[in-house]
Amino acid sequence: MSKHPMTRTQMKEDAQNTLMHGIANALGYFEEVYAPIGWDGWTEAQRDEYRRVMRREADRVAKLFGFEEAWSN
């Protein structure tokens, strides 16, 4: 039996997919689970700006992994 059930390339791709699913969860649920400290006191414009920054950074990571953009759950 092989010591590694996956090749290194398969491990890398699986790790990237797992990380992207974590990002998708953060994008989809961040207000409930991952909201920054003080979120309740932010204006809607501040919240919108934060969402734009999150999306931009998520897309940046997605592109590093070869995806066109991040997705959210």
Side-chain angles (χ1 to χ4, degrees), residues 29-41:
Y29 301 108
F30 84 92
E31 288 183 36
E32 296 144 12
V33 180
Y34 306 106
I37 294 172
W39 179 259
D40 292 340

Side-chain angles (χ1 to χ4, degrees), residues 36-54:
I37 294 172
W39 179 259
D40 292 340
W42 290 20
T43 66
E44 195 57 36
Q46 290 168 321
R47 290 177 179 202
D48 288 344
E49 177 62 18
Y50 188 81
R51 290 181 190 104
R52 283 190 292 275
V53 169
M54 282 205 41

Side-chain angles (χ1 to χ4, degrees), residues 1 4 7 13-14 20 24 27 33 36 48 53-54 56 62 65-66 68 72:
M1 177 173 234
H4 298 287
T7 66
E13 289 171 351
D14 187 71
M20 288 305 301
L27 288 174
V33 180
D48 288 344
V53 169
M54 282 205 41
R56 184 185 69 226
F65 290 164
E68 288 185 31
S72 67

Side-chain angles (χ1 to χ4, degrees), residues 1-14:
M1 177 173 234
S2 173
K3 290 183 180 181
H4 298 287
M6 295 182 182
T7 66
R8 287 188 58 84
T9 299
Q10 289 169 323
M11 288 181 198
K12 180 190 82 163
E13 289 171 351
D14 187 71

